[in-house]
Amino acid sequence: FYVSIDLDTTNNLWNIKVGNDNGFVPSWKNGAVAATVTGALLLSFMFMIICIENQIRHDLLREMLPPKALRKIKKGQTCVEKYNVATVFFSDIVGYTAMSAEMSAIQVMKMLNEFYTEVDKIATKHKVCKIQTIGDAYMVTGGVPDRCLGPEGAKKVALFAIETIELAKDFRTSDGAKVIIRGGINSGPLVAGVVGTKRPQYTVFGDTVNDAARMESTSEKMRIQCTDITYRLLRDSATHVFDIESRGGVEVKGNGIMNTWFINGATEKSKKHQSTLIEIEGSTDDNCGDIHLYDDL
């Protein structure tokens, strides 16, 4: 490193340089380089941690909230939507109170976690939306938040419920405990939205939800009870034939006597039959086609 200066004399132009022959290295150079590298590494590490935490938070919110609701929440908007036809399923564990009294709290939590972890997999398989678990109760919806035709949403929920009952028949916890459940399904209009800002929760409201809970509470062990509305939607399924048994009139709180049905199973229709149904349902002819608005439900 040199310091140079030009000197203009009468006859010549001189360039004077002053410096060390081997260059000039400040005593603090090595320390400065080490501090710069260390600082860069620390900043990079901190930035990486922030990015990871943000991604974890985003993934957690994405599991808790539907994408559309999540986008609205991020924008500070209120998330409330009305659905004309949706299907709601409730289930609970029969004898849960007595089981809880005989088991420790840790055993109860372990049992619920093991069973509902398997139920979650079934929910994902049938593309129904898990709304929440409250104690031993489990709730899912079809047609919410992803809108679809009434029969399609009812079909998804019914297939989920049937497979959940089959799971319970053979399920044993790691402690050997058997789980006995009952389920109820109802269909109709409802409102869905996000409640709260701290630990926001996506949930559904309306008489349709209340009646689904009542279908569960008046159902029988290892059976799925549904309302007339759900029965009619399942009857119109384009892809499955459901084995549905009439239960007759059942006393339901707040509704008096309701005609209900038990869903025993389902058989997938042949591809040829499905294609024919889809073609008929897609017809624009006013005199044909299986077009239902279900306004009379």
Side-chain angles (χ1 to χ4, degrees):
F1 178 80
Y2 293 91
V3 176
S4 65
I5 185 170
D6 292 330
L7 178 63
D8 188 8
T9 65
T10 305
N11 298 318
N12 298 289
L13 178 63
W14 296 82
N15 181 260
I16 302 173
K17 294 182 178 179
V18 179
N20 193 308
D21 289 338
N22 297 322
F24 173 73
V25 178
S27 59
W28 42 263
K29 178 181 177 180
N30 292 336
V33 171
T36 301
V37 172
T38 303
L41 289 174
L42 287 174
L43 287 174
S44 299
F45 181 74
M46 292 172 63
F47 181 73
M48 182 181 68
I49 294 296
I50 292 172
C51 290
I52 292 173
E53 289 182 349
N54 285 338
Q55 186 61 47
I56 292 173
R57 179 175 176 272
H58 179 75
D59 291 343
L60 182 59
L61 285 173
R62 192 167 53 187
E63 289 295 323
M64 296 171 59
L65 303 174
K68 187 175 181 180
L70 183 56
R71 287 194 297 269
K72 287 189 174 182
I73 292 298
K74 285 183 175 180
K75 294 178 181 178
Q77 300 174 351
T78 300
C79 179
V80 178
E81 288 187 285
K82 181 179 179 181
Y83 294 81
N84 292 329
V85 181
T87 299
V88 181
F89 167 86
F90 273 97
S91 72
D92 75 348
I93 297 175
V94 179
Y96 174 74
T97 303
M99 291 175 64
S100 300
E102 297 174 358
M103 302 166 67
S104 68
I106 293 178
Q107 287 177 315
V108 172
M109 288 296 297
K110 188 175 181 181
M111 174 193 71
L112 293 176
N113 182 62
E114 290 178 359
F115 180 67
Y116 285 136
T117 295
E118 295 302 316
V119 177
D120 285 345
K121 296 176 183 177
I122 300 175
T124 301
K125 173 183 175 181
H126 292 288
K127 298 180 180 179
V128 295
C129 177
K130 175 185 176 182
I131 299 297
Q132 61 185 357
T133 54
I134 304 176
D136 64 319
Y138 193 95
M139 177 184 180
V140 303
T141 57
V144 174
D146 298 323
R147 297 178 185 272
C148 61
L149 294 175
E152 178 69 13
K155 178 203 74 173
K156 290 179 180 180
V157 172
L159 292 177
F160 161 81
I162 292 168
E163 190 165 344
T164 299
I165 293 291
E166 291 302 314
L167 168 69
K169 288 179 181 178
D170 302 322
F171 183 82
R172 296 292 185 279
T173 66
S174 56
D175 296 330
K178 180 176 175 60
V179 176
I180 300 175
I181 66 173
R182 63 187 176 192
I185 304 177
N186 184 40
S187 305
L190 54 79
V191 173
V194 177
V195 177
T197 54
K198 186 175 183 180
R199 294 183 182 177
Q201 181 179 12
Y202 185 80
T203 190
V204 290
F205 307 89
D207 290 338
T208 297
V209 181
N210 297 334
D211 287 343
R214 290 163 184 153
M215 286 297 100
E216 174 269 312
S217 63
T218 57
S219 186
E220 296 180 355
K221 294 180 180 179
M222 304 300 284
R223 305 206 75 177
I224 308 159
Q225 181 177 227
C226 73
T227 59
D228 260 335
I229 300 175
T230 303
Y231 161 72
R232 294 170 66 180
L233 291 174
L234 294 176
R235 186 185 59 188
D236 290 341
S237 172
T239 59
H240 288 74
V241 176
F242 287 89
D243 176 11
I244 304 178
E245 167 193 346
S246 175
R247 187 184 185 184
V250 175
E251 180 72 31
V252 177
K253 181 180 178 181
N255 292 309
I257 301 297
M258 290 183 67
N259 190 45
T260 66
W261 306 78
F262 282 128
I263 303 172
N264 298 323
T267 304
E268 188 173 6
K269 295 178 181 178
S270 66
K271 298 296 182 180
K272 183 178 179 181
H273 190 193
Q274 291 182 35
S275 299
T276 303
L277 284 172
I278 292 172
E279 183 178 351
I280 293 174
E281 291 179 355
S283 173
T284 56
D285 189 342
D286 291 339
N287 297 320
C288 67
D290 192 12
I291 302 173
H292 298 290
L293 297 179
Y294 299 100
D295 289 337
D296 59 332
L297 300 182

mmCIF file of all heavy atoms in Angstrom, residues 84-123:
data_model
loop_
_atom_site.group_PDB
_atom_site.id
_atom_site.type_symbol
_atom_site.label_atom_id
_atom_site.label_comp_id
_atom_site.label_asym_id
_atom_site.label_seq_id
_atom_site.Cartn_x
_atom_site.Cartn_y
_atom_site.Cartn_z
ATOM 1 N N ASN A 84 -75.660 -23.106 1.373
ATOM 2 C CA ASN A 84 -77.066 -23.505 1.215
ATOM 3 C C ASN A 84 -77.299 -24.968 1.578
ATOM 4 O O ASN A 84 -78.320 -25.308 2.169
ATOM 5 C CB ASN A 84 -77.528 -23.250 -0.228
ATOM 6 C CG ASN A 84 -77.592 -21.773 -0.550
ATOM 7 O OD1 ASN A 84 -77.865 -20.953 0.332
ATOM 8 N ND2 ASN A 84 -77.322 -21.413 -1.794
ATOM 9 N N VAL A 85 -76.367 -25.835 1.186
ATOM 10 C CA VAL A 85 -76.492 -27.260 1.508
ATOM 11 C C VAL A 85 -75.118 -27.795 1.904
ATOM 12 O O VAL A 85 -74.185 -27.774 1.102
ATOM 13 C CB VAL A 85 -77.032 -28.089 0.324
ATOM 14 C CG1 VAL A 85 -77.155 -29.562 0.727
ATOM 15 C CG2 VAL A 85 -78.375 -27.569 -0.145
ATOM 16 N N ALA A 86 -75.010 -28.255 3.129
ATOM 17 C CA ALA A 86 -73.789 -28.885 3.614
ATOM 18 C C ALA A 86 -74.190 -30.045 4.513
ATOM 19 O O ALA A 86 -75.336 -30.136 4.950
ATOM 20 C CB ALA A 86 -72.921 -27.890 4.379
ATOM 21 N N THR A 87 -73.245 -30.932 4.773
ATOM 22 C CA THR A 87 -73.534 -32.102 5.611
ATOM 23 C C THR A 87 -72.588 -32.122 6.800
ATOM 24 O O THR A 87 -71.386 -31.886 6.651
ATOM 25 C CB THR A 87 -73.394 -33.403 4.796
ATOM 26 O OG1 THR A 87 -74.329 -33.381 3.707
ATOM 27 C CG2 THR A 87 -73.671 -34.617 5.649
ATOM 28 N N VAL A 88 -73.151 -32.409 7.983
ATOM 29 C CA VAL A 88 -72.391 -32.378 9.237
ATOM 30 C C VAL A 88 -72.471 -33.745 9.917
ATOM 31 O O VAL A 88 -73.545 -34.357 9.975
ATOM 32 C CB VAL A 88 -72.936 -31.295 10.188
ATOM 33 C CG1 VAL A 88 -72.119 -31.251 11.478
ATOM 34 C CG2 VAL A 88 -72.946 -29.937 9.509
ATOM 35 N N PHE A 89 -71.337 -34.209 10.416
ATOM 36 C CA PHE A 89 -71.265 -35.486 11.138
ATOM 37 C C PHE A 89 -70.740 -35.260 12.546
ATOM 38 O O PHE A 89 -69.775 -34.525 12.746
ATOM 39 C CB PHE A 89 -70.329 -36.447 10.399
ATOM 40 C CG PHE A 89 -69.940 -37.665 11.200
ATOM 41 C CD1 PHE A 89 -70.741 -38.787 11.213
ATOM 42 C CD2 PHE A 89 -68.756 -37.679 11.936
ATOM 43 C CE1 PHE A 89 -70.376 -39.909 11.947
ATOM 44 C CE2 PHE A 89 -68.381 -38.796 12.671
ATOM 45 C CZ PHE A 89 -69.200 -39.919 12.669
ATOM 46 N N PHE A 90 -71.394 -35.888 13.500
ATOM 47 C CA PHE A 90 -70.930 -35.914 14.889
ATOM 48 C C PHE A 90 -70.772 -37.369 15.317
ATOM 49 O O PHE A 90 -71.565 -38.229 14.925
ATOM 50 C CB PHE A 90 -71.942 -35.252 15.838
ATOM 51 C CG PHE A 90 -71.794 -33.778 15.991
ATOM 52 C CD1 PHE A 90 -72.580 -32.910 15.247
ATOM 53 C CD2 PHE A 90 -70.881 -33.233 16.883
ATOM 54 C CE1 PHE A 90 -72.462 -31.541 15.393
ATOM 55 C CE2 PHE A 90 -70.750 -31.864 17.031
ATOM 56 C CZ PHE A 90 -71.553 -31.018 16.283
ATOM 57 N N SER A 91 -69.777 -37.618 16.149
ATOM 58 C CA SER A 91 -69.672 -38.924 16.802
ATOM 59 C C SER A 91 -69.172 -38.714 18.216
ATOM 60 O O SER A 91 -68.557 -37.691 18.523
ATOM 61 C CB SER A 91 -68.703 -39.843 16.039
ATOM 62 O OG SER A 91 -67.359 -39.417 16.214
ATOM 63 N N ASP A 92 -69.462 -39.673 19.062
ATOM 64 C CA ASP A 92 -68.866 -39.670 20.401
ATOM 65 C C ASP A 92 -68.635 -41.100 20.840
ATOM 66 O O ASP A 92 -69.094 -42.048 20.195
ATOM 67 C CB ASP A 92 -69.707 -38.869 21.406
ATOM 68 C CG ASP A 92 -70.972 -39.603 21.842
ATOM 69 O OD1 ASP A 92 -71.320 -40.619 21.195
ATOM 70 O OD2 ASP A 92 -71.605 -39.187 22.821
ATOM 71 N N ILE A 93 -67.912 -41.247 21.926
ATOM 72 C CA ILE A 93 -67.586 -42.568 22.458
ATOM 73 C C ILE A 93 -68.638 -42.950 23.488
ATOM 74 O O ILE A 93 -68.861 -42.216 24.464
ATOM 75 C CB ILE A 93 -66.185 -42.573 23.084
ATOM 76 C CG1 ILE A 93 -65.130 -42.267 22.007
ATOM 77 C CG2 ILE A 93 -65.889 -43.915 23.750
ATOM 78 C CD1 ILE A 93 -63.721 -42.130 22.537
ATOM 79 N N VAL A 94 -69.289 -44.079 23.258
ATOM 80 C CA VAL A 94 -70.335 -44.547 24.170
ATOM 81 C C VAL A 94 -69.684 -44.986 25.486
ATOM 82 O O VAL A 94 -68.699 -45.731 25.485
ATOM 83 C CB VAL A 94 -71.119 -45.721 23.541
ATOM 84 C CG1 VAL A 94 -72.186 -46.220 24.517
ATOM 85 C CG2 VAL A 94 -71.752 -45.289 22.225
ATOM 86 N N GLY A 95 -70.235 -44.515 26.596
ATOM 87 C CA GLY A 95 -69.699 -44.877 27.899
ATOM 88 C C GLY A 95 -68.419 -44.162 28.252
ATOM 89 O O GLY A 95 -67.649 -44.619 29.114
ATOM 90 N N TYR A 96 -68.201 -43.023 27.606
ATOM 91 C CA TYR A 96 -66.941 -42.292 27.829
ATOM 92 C C TYR A 96 -66.798 -41.844 29.282
ATOM 93 O O TYR A 96 -65.702 -41.914 29.853
ATOM 94 C CB TYR A 96 -66.896 -41.084 26.896
ATOM 95 C CG TYR A 96 -65.721 -40.170 27.121
ATOM 96 C CD1 TYR A 96 -64.444 -40.543 26.720
ATOM 97 C CD2 TYR A 96 -65.881 -38.930 27.751
ATOM 98 C CE1 TYR A 96 -63.349 -39.697 26.931
ATOM 99 C CE2 TYR A 96 -64.800 -38.088 27.951
ATOM 100 C CZ TYR A 96 -63.532 -38.476 27.542
ATOM 101 O OH TYR A 96 -62.467 -37.647 27.746
ATOM 102 N N THR A 97 -67.886 -41.400 29.890
ATOM 103 C CA THR A 97 -67.822 -40.925 31.282
ATOM 104 C C THR A 97 -67.380 -42.040 32.223
ATOM 105 O O THR A 97 -66.524 -41.839 33.096
ATOM 106 C CB THR A 97 -69.187 -40.371 31.725
ATOM 107 O OG1 THR A 97 -69.589 -39.328 30.833
ATOM 108 C CG2 THR A 97 -69.119 -39.827 33.142
ATOM 109 N N ALA A 98 -67.970 -43.249 32.041
ATOM 110 C CA ALA A 98 -67.594 -44.382 32.891
ATOM 111 C C ALA A 98 -66.148 -44.797 32.631
ATOM 112 O O ALA A 98 -65.402 -45.115 33.571
ATOM 113 C CB ALA A 98 -68.537 -45.552 32.628
ATOM 114 N N MET A 99 -65.735 -44.769 31.364
ATOM 115 C CA MET A 99 -64.355 -45.124 31.030
ATOM 116 C C MET A 99 -63.375 -44.149 31.674
ATOM 117 O O MET A 99 -62.343 -44.544 32.215
ATOM 118 C CB MET A 99 -64.160 -45.133 29.511
ATOM 119 C CG MET A 99 -64.881 -46.237 28.784
ATOM 120 S SD MET A 99 -64.723 -46.074 26.981
ATOM 121 C CE MET A 99 -62.962 -46.273 26.763
ATOM 122 N N SER A 100 -63.727 -42.869 31.618
ATOM 123 C CA SER A 100 -62.852 -41.840 32.186
ATOM 124 C C SER A 100 -62.690 -42.008 33.688
ATOM 125 O O SER A 100 -61.633 -41.707 34.247
ATOM 126 C CB SER A 100 -63.403 -40.449 31.871
ATOM 127 O OG SER A 100 -63.477 -40.242 30.476
ATOM 128 N N ALA A 101 -63.763 -42.474 34.333
ATOM 129 C CA ALA A 101 -63.707 -42.654 35.780
ATOM 130 C C ALA A 101 -62.790 -43.813 36.168
ATOM 131 O O ALA A 101 -62.207 -43.824 37.255
ATOM 132 C CB ALA A 101 -65.112 -42.888 36.326
ATOM 133 N N GLU A 102 -62.672 -44.804 35.275
ATOM 134 C CA GLU A 102 -61.872 -45.984 35.574
ATOM 135 C C GLU A 102 -60.423 -45.852 35.104
ATOM 136 O O GLU A 102 -59.582 -46.662 35.478
ATOM 137 C CB GLU A 102 -62.509 -47.213 34.911
ATOM 138 C CG GLU A 102 -63.907 -47.543 35.437
ATOM 139 C CD GLU A 102 -64.558 -48.663 34.653
ATOM 140 O OE1 GLU A 102 -63.916 -49.146 33.670
ATOM 141 O OE2 GLU A 102 -65.679 -49.061 34.995
ATOM 142 N N MET A 103 -60.146 -44.851 34.264
ATOM 143 C CA MET A 103 -58.806 -44.678 33.708
ATOM 144 C C MET A 103 -58.173 -43.405 34.246
ATOM 145 O O MET A 103 -58.876 -42.476 34.648
ATOM 146 C CB MET A 103 -58.880 -44.613 32.173
ATOM 147 C CG MET A 103 -59.503 -45.829 31.519
ATOM 148 S SD MET A 103 -59.950 -45.548 29.768
ATOM 149 C CE MET A 103 -58.326 -45.364 29.028
ATOM 150 N N SER A 104 -56.861 -43.366 34.235
ATOM 151 C CA SER A 104 -56.173 -42.138 34.627
ATOM 152 C C SER A 104 -56.303 -41.125 33.495
ATOM 153 O O SER A 104 -56.613 -41.466 32.350
ATOM 154 C CB SER A 104 -54.694 -42.418 34.905
ATOM 155 O OG SER A 104 -54.022 -42.766 33.704
ATOM 156 N N ALA A 105 -56.060 -39.857 33.822
ATOM 157 C CA ALA A 105 -56.162 -38.807 32.806
ATOM 158 C C ALA A 105 -55.197 -39.051 31.648
ATOM 159 O O ALA A 105 -55.536 -38.823 30.477
ATOM 160 C CB ALA A 105 -55.889 -37.446 33.439
ATOM 161 N N ILE A 106 -54.018 -39.543 31.961
ATOM 162 C CA ILE A 106 -53.030 -39.821 30.910
ATOM 163 C C ILE A 106 -53.511 -40.939 30.007
ATOM 164 O O ILE A 106 -53.359 -40.880 28.772
ATOM 165 C CB ILE A 106 -51.666 -40.178 31.539
ATOM 166 C CG1 ILE A 106 -51.079 -38.963 32.256
ATOM 167 C CG2 ILE A 106 -50.700 -40.698 30.477
ATOM 168 C CD1 ILE A 106 -49.767 -39.223 32.958
ATOM 169 N N GLN A 107 -54.123 -41.969 30.572
ATOM 170 C CA GLN A 107 -54.654 -43.081 29.782
ATOM 171 C C GLN A 107 -55.779 -42.614 28.869
ATOM 172 O O GLN A 107 -55.873 -43.046 27.719
ATOM 173 C CB GLN A 107 -55.151 -44.197 30.707
ATOM 174 C CG GLN A 107 -54.051 -44.987 31.384
ATOM 175 C CD GLN A 107 -54.616 -46.023 32.343
ATOM 176 O OE1 GLN A 107 -55.535 -45.751 33.132
ATOM 177 N NE2 GLN A 107 -54.069 -47.234 32.287
ATOM 178 N N VAL A 108 -56.638 -41.729 29.392
ATOM 179 C CA VAL A 108 -57.743 -41.201 28.585
ATOM 180 C C VAL A 108 -57.198 -40.412 27.401
ATOM 181 O O VAL A 108 -57.633 -40.590 26.249
ATOM 182 C CB VAL A 108 -58.673 -40.304 29.436
ATOM 183 C CG1 VAL A 108 -59.698 -39.606 28.552
ATOM 184 C CG2 VAL A 108 -59.382 -41.135 30.502
ATOM 185 N N MET A 109 -56.235 -39.530 27.665
ATOM 186 C CA MET A 109 -55.651 -38.729 26.594
ATOM 187 C C MET A 109 -54.955 -39.619 25.566
ATOM 188 O O MET A 109 -55.048 -39.379 24.354
ATOM 189 C CB MET A 109 -54.653 -37.733 27.185
ATOM 190 C CG MET A 109 -55.296 -36.591 27.944
ATOM 191 S SD MET A 109 -56.316 -35.549 26.878
ATOM 192 C CE MET A 109 -55.085 -34.907 25.758
ATOM 193 N N LYS A 110 -54.281 -40.635 26.033
ATOM 194 C CA LYS A 110 -53.585 -41.551 25.135
ATOM 195 C C LYS A 110 -54.577 -42.303 24.256
ATOM 196 O O LYS A 110 -54.365 -42.459 23.042
ATOM 197 C CB LYS A 110 -52.750 -42.535 25.952
ATOM 198 C CG LYS A 110 -51.826 -43.409 25.119
ATOM 199 C CD LYS A 110 -50.953 -44.263 26.016
ATOM 200 C CE LYS A 110 -49.999 -45.129 25.185
ATOM 201 N NZ LYS A 110 -49.146 -45.990 26.044
ATOM 202 N N MET A 111 -55.687 -42.738 24.855
ATOM 203 C CA MET A 111 -56.713 -43.451 24.104
ATOM 204 C C MET A 111 -57.315 -42.557 23.020
ATOM 205 O O MET A 111 -57.440 -42.957 21.855
ATOM 206 C CB MET A 111 -57.824 -43.928 25.043
ATOM 207 C CG MET A 111 -59.019 -44.562 24.325
ATOM 208 S SD MET A 111 -60.462 -44.772 25.402
ATOM 209 C CE MET A 111 -60.988 -43.060 25.604
ATOM 210 N N LEU A 112 -57.697 -41.335 23.398
ATOM 211 C CA LEU A 112 -58.304 -40.414 22.441
ATOM 212 C C LEU A 112 -57.341 -40.078 21.312
ATOM 213 O O LEU A 112 -57.733 -40.022 20.138
ATOM 214 C CB LEU A 112 -58.751 -39.133 23.154
ATOM 215 C CG LEU A 112 -59.907 -39.275 24.150
ATOM 216 C CD1 LEU A 112 -60.156 -37.944 24.845
ATOM 217 C CD2 LEU A 112 -61.173 -39.742 23.456
ATOM 218 N N ASN A 113 -56.082 -39.859 21.669
ATOM 219 C CA ASN A 113 -55.096 -39.499 20.652
ATOM 220 C C ASN A 113 -54.871 -40.646 19.666
ATOM 221 O O ASN A 113 -54.824 -40.429 18.448
ATOM 222 C CB ASN A 113 -53.776 -39.120 21.312
ATOM 223 C CG ASN A 113 -52.724 -38.692 20.310
ATOM 224 O OD1 ASN A 113 -52.891 -37.708 19.596
ATOM 225 N ND2 ASN A 113 -51.642 -39.446 20.229
ATOM 226 N N GLU A 114 -54.738 -41.858 20.181
ATOM 227 C CA GLU A 114 -54.502 -43.011 19.302
ATOM 228 C C GLU A 114 -55.688 -43.243 18.367
ATOM 229 O O GLU A 114 -55.505 -43.471 17.164
ATOM 230 C CB GLU A 114 -54.245 -44.261 20.137
ATOM 231 C CG GLU A 114 -52.904 -44.245 20.864
ATOM 232 C CD GLU A 114 -52.708 -45.474 21.725
ATOM 233 O OE1 GLU A 114 -53.625 -46.330 21.769
ATOM 234 O OE2 GLU A 114 -51.644 -45.590 22.365
ATOM 235 N N PHE A 115 -56.897 -43.161 18.899
ATOM 236 C CA PHE A 115 -58.083 -43.422 18.069
ATOM 237 C C PHE A 115 -58.315 -42.302 17.055
ATOM 238 O O PHE A 115 -58.485 -42.552 15.858
ATOM 239 C CB PHE A 115 -59.316 -43.589 18.965
ATOM 240 C CG PHE A 115 -60.576 -43.868 18.181
ATOM 241 C CD1 PHE A 115 -60.730 -45.052 17.483
ATOM 242 C CD2 PHE A 115 -61.601 -42.938 18.148
ATOM 243 C CE1 PHE A 115 -61.890 -45.311 16.756
ATOM 244 C CE2 PHE A 115 -62.758 -43.178 17.425
ATOM 245 C CZ PHE A 115 -62.901 -44.374 16.728
ATOM 246 N N TYR A 116 -58.294 -41.053 17.522
ATOM 247 C CA TYR A 116 -58.619 -39.949 16.618
ATOM 248 C C TYR A 116 -57.497 -39.642 15.627
ATOM 249 O O TYR A 116 -57.747 -39.024 14.593
ATOM 250 C CB TYR A 116 -59.013 -38.712 17.423
ATOM 251 C CG TYR A 116 -60.404 -38.836 17.999
ATOM 252 C CD1 TYR A 116 -60.685 -38.468 19.315
ATOM 253 C CD2 TYR A 116 -61.441 -39.333 17.230
ATOM 254 C CE1 TYR A 116 -61.962 -38.600 19.836
ATOM 255 C CE2 TYR A 116 -62.720 -39.465 17.747
ATOM 256 C CZ TYR A 116 -62.966 -39.107 19.057
ATOM 257 O OH TYR A 116 -64.237 -39.240 19.558
ATOM 258 N N THR A 117 -56.287 -40.095 15.907
ATOM 259 C CA THR A 117 -55.224 -39.985 14.900
ATOM 260 C C THR A 117 -55.561 -40.855 13.692
ATOM 261 O O THR A 117 -55.361 -40.451 12.538
ATOM 262 C CB THR A 117 -53.868 -40.408 15.486
ATOM 263 O OG1 THR A 117 -53.496 -39.486 16.523
ATOM 264 C CG2 THR A 117 -52.783 -40.407 14.423
ATOM 265 N N GLU A 118 -56.111 -42.048 13.951
ATOM 266 C CA GLU A 118 -56.540 -42.915 12.855
ATOM 267 C C GLU A 118 -57.765 -42.345 12.141
ATOM 268 O O GLU A 118 -57.894 -42.444 10.916
ATOM 269 C CB GLU A 118 -56.856 -44.319 13.389
ATOM 270 C CG GLU A 118 -55.654 -45.055 13.962
ATOM 271 C CD GLU A 118 -54.534 -45.211 12.940
ATOM 272 O OE1 GLU A 118 -54.836 -45.560 11.782
ATOM 273 O OE2 GLU A 118 -53.371 -44.961 13.295
ATOM 274 N N VAL A 119 -58.672 -41.741 12.905
ATOM 275 C CA VAL A 119 -59.864 -41.131 12.302
ATOM 276 C C VAL A 119 -59.463 -39.951 11.410
ATOM 277 O O VAL A 119 -60.045 -39.725 10.343
ATOM 278 C CB VAL A 119 -60.855 -40.673 13.391
ATOM 279 C CG1 VAL A 119 -62.058 -39.962 12.767
ATOM 280 C CG2 VAL A 119 -61.343 -41.869 14.202
ATOM 281 N N ASP A 120 -58.448 -39.202 11.831
ATOM 282 C CA ASP A 120 -57.955 -38.087 11.013
ATOM 283 C C ASP A 120 -57.513 -38.574 9.636
ATOM 284 O O ASP A 120 -57.720 -37.900 8.625
ATOM 285 C CB ASP A 120 -56.783 -37.387 11.714
ATOM 286 C CG ASP A 120 -57.230 -36.513 12.878
ATOM 287 O OD1 ASP A 120 -58.437 -36.225 12.977
ATOM 288 O OD2 ASP A 120 -56.358 -36.121 13.674
ATOM 289 N N LYS A 121 -56.877 -39.738 9.601
ATOM 290 C CA LYS A 121 -56.425 -40.299 8.324
ATOM 291 C C LYS A 121 -57.612 -40.616 7.420
ATOM 292 O O LYS A 121 -57.556 -40.406 6.199
ATOM 293 C CB LYS A 121 -55.595 -41.562 8.570
ATOM 294 C CG LYS A 121 -54.300 -41.325 9.334
ATOM 295 C CD LYS A 121 -53.581 -42.634 9.615
ATOM 296 C CE LYS A 121 -52.322 -42.421 10.454
ATOM 297 N NZ LYS A 121 -51.651 -43.703 10.786
ATOM 298 N N ILE A 122 -58.693 -41.103 8.007
ATOM 299 C CA ILE A 122 -59.899 -41.410 7.226
ATOM 300 C C ILE A 122 -60.525 -40.117 6.704
ATOM 301 O O ILE A 122 -61.010 -40.054 5.571
ATOM 302 C CB ILE A 122 -60.906 -42.198 8.089
ATOM 303 C CG1 ILE A 122 -60.294 -43.507 8.557
ATOM 304 C CG2 ILE A 122 -62.193 -42.469 7.310
ATOM 305 C CD1 ILE A 122 -61.165 -44.299 9.523
ATOM 306 N N ALA A 123 -60.512 -39.078 7.533
ATOM 307 C CA ALA A 123 -61.048 -37.778 7.104
ATOM 308 C C ALA A 123 -60.275 -37.244 5.902
ATOM 309 O O ALA A 123 -60.863 -36.719 4.944
ATOM 310 C CB ALA A 123 -60.999 -36.780 8.264
#
